[in-house]
Structures are given as structure tokens and as C-alpha cells.
């Protein structure tokens, strides 16, 4: 059966994304006032008054909201591969929010969770020379944070293996867009004109 070349409305998805501003701005009220401090590049930077795990979650939620909205805009414009790359970022932000939440719910942070929070709020290098002087940086790995997801599954559904397999498979697919895997380039080819669709995919099925 031929699939209609009409993009589904995704009414519920769009409605939920439209409410992200409302929800995140409501959470933001708990962390006001923010403070401003001098930036190494000049000017002033906004900072949380208290750089806590909860503040990290809010910051990650801000980036999750903008990335998923950006992905939707790109999908609407037919830029399917770029939408996939942004969805990978969205998934990472959600993954990190949940990993930190597990430590907060348990009333204690593991070494990996606390290190992740500390690294998030650590000052960034402001010059190439400063970055060089910092030496090699070792960041908390995705697998270390995923241990928190597994602990949640153990206490709730018990489906630890299913969670691990499903998460790994989703990341596997999204990673292909981030790294420009072979199929993601060929996804943009059309036999109709024997060209690559560099200004957006023409197929509604691909945009969905």
C-alpha cells in the first residue's frame, strides 16, 4: 500500500512541546534570584545562586526543551538528519536528569553522580593556554550514569535487561545521525532527480 506523502499532525506531541515553556519557567521560580558574575571574556554571566543537583536538572531541562523544539522545527522543514542529531542530544539530557534524580531520591549521591554535578558547574577554560594547562579531562561516562537508571528499574519494574537493551538500541540509532553514518547520508538521496536533498527531505514518511 502506498504511504501518503502527508506529514501526520502529531497533535499531542506538539501540544506537549508547546507547554515546555510554562513548565520550565514554573520550576525556574524556585531558583530566583539568579546572580551575575564577571565573565573571563568580559561582561557578566548568569549563574544559579546555589549550584545544586536540582539546579543542574533545571539547566538540563532547559537544553532538552530547546533541542526537542529545534528537532521538531527541523523535521517540519524536512531536515531529517539534523533533527535526528538534536534528538540524540535531547535523549542525553533526559538521561542525565534521571540519573541525578535517582541520587536525590535515594538521599545520597554516588561518586559518579556527585562527580557529574561537580564537573557540570566547574569553570570552563577561557583561553587555549588555560585549556592546555588543565591537562587531559576525564568526564563521567554515560555508562556510569546509566547505573542509576538500572537501580530505578530494579526497584520498580524489575526489567533491567529490557531497559538496558532498549536504551542501547535507541542510542545506537541516534548516534548514527550525530556521526554522519553512511545510511544517514543516503537517506537524503532521491532517485526522482538523482540528487541529494540538501534543503530538506521531500518525503513525509521520512520527516515523521
Amino acid at each position: 500500500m502506498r504511504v501518503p506523502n502527508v506529514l501526520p499532525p502529531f497533535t499531542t506531541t506538539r501540544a506537549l512541546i508547546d507547554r515546555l515553556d510554562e513548565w520550565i519557567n514554573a520550576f525556574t521560580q524556585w531558583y530566583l534570584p539568579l546572580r551575575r558574575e564577571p565573565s573571563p571574556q568580559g561582561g557578566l554571566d548568569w549563574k544559579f545562586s546555589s549550584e545544586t543537583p536540582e539546579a543542574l536538572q533545571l539547566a538540563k531541562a532547559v537544553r532538552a526543551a530547546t533541542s526537542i523544539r529545534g528537532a521538531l522545527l527541523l523535521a517540519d522543514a524536512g531536515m531529517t538528519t539534523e533533527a535526528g542529531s538534536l534528538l540524540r542530544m535531547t535523549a542525553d539530557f533526559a538521561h542525565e536528569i534521571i540519573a541525578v534524580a535517582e541520587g536525590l531520591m535515594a538521599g545520597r549521591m554516588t561518586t559518579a553522580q556527585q562527580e557529574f554535578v561537580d564537573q557540570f558547574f566547574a569553570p570552563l577554560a577561557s583561553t587555549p593556554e588555560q585549556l592546555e594547562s588543565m591537562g587531559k579531562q576525564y568526564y563521567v561516562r554515560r555508562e556510569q550514569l546509566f547505573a542509576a537508571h538500572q537501580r530505578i528499574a530494579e526497584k520498580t519494574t524489575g526489567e533491567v535487561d529490557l531497559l538496558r537493551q532498549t536504551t542501547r538500541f535507541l542510542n545506537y540509532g541516534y548516534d548514527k545521525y550525530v556521526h554522519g553514518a553512511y545510511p544517514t547520508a543516503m537517506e537524503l538521496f532521491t532517485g526522482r532527480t538523482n540528487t541529494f536533498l540538501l534543503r530538506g527531505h521531500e518525503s513525509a514518511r521520512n520527516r515523521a
Side-chain angles (χ1 to χ4, degrees), residues 35-52:
R35 59 186 170 87
R36 301 196 79 177
E37 63 178 41
S39 168
Q41 288 79 30
L44 296 171
D45 289 337
W46 285 108
K47 302 282 187 179
F48 287 110
S49 297
S50 184
E51 295 177 336
T52 62

Side-chain angles (χ1 to χ4, degrees), residues 112-187:
Q113 288 167 327
Q114 187 59 56
E115 188 175 359
F116 179 72
V117 174
D118 294 341
Q119 289 174 345
F120 179 77
F121 289 114
L124 300 178
S126 57
T127 65
E129 294 76 19
Q130 186 179 12
L131 179 62
E132 188 74 17
S133 70
M134 292 166 66
K136 188 172 179 60
Q137 304 293 299
Y138 294 93
Y139 294 98
V140 177
R141 300 191 315 275
R142 186 184 301 163
E143 293 78 11
Q144 291 175 279
L145 292 179
F146 187 66
H149 291 241
Q150 293 177 303
R151 289 192 293 271
I152 292 174
E154 287 170 354
K155 296 174 183 176
T156 53
T157 65
E159 298 281 3
V160 176
D161 287 342
L162 178 61
L163 173 67
R164 178 183 55 78
Q165 292 168 5
T166 303
T167 302
R168 183 168 178 262
F169 185 71
L170 288 172
N171 290 341
Y172 173 80
Y174 282 138
D175 281 346
K176 298 300 177 284
Y177 287 100
V178 173
H179 298 293
Y182 181 25
T184 69
M186 304 317 294
E187 174 183 321

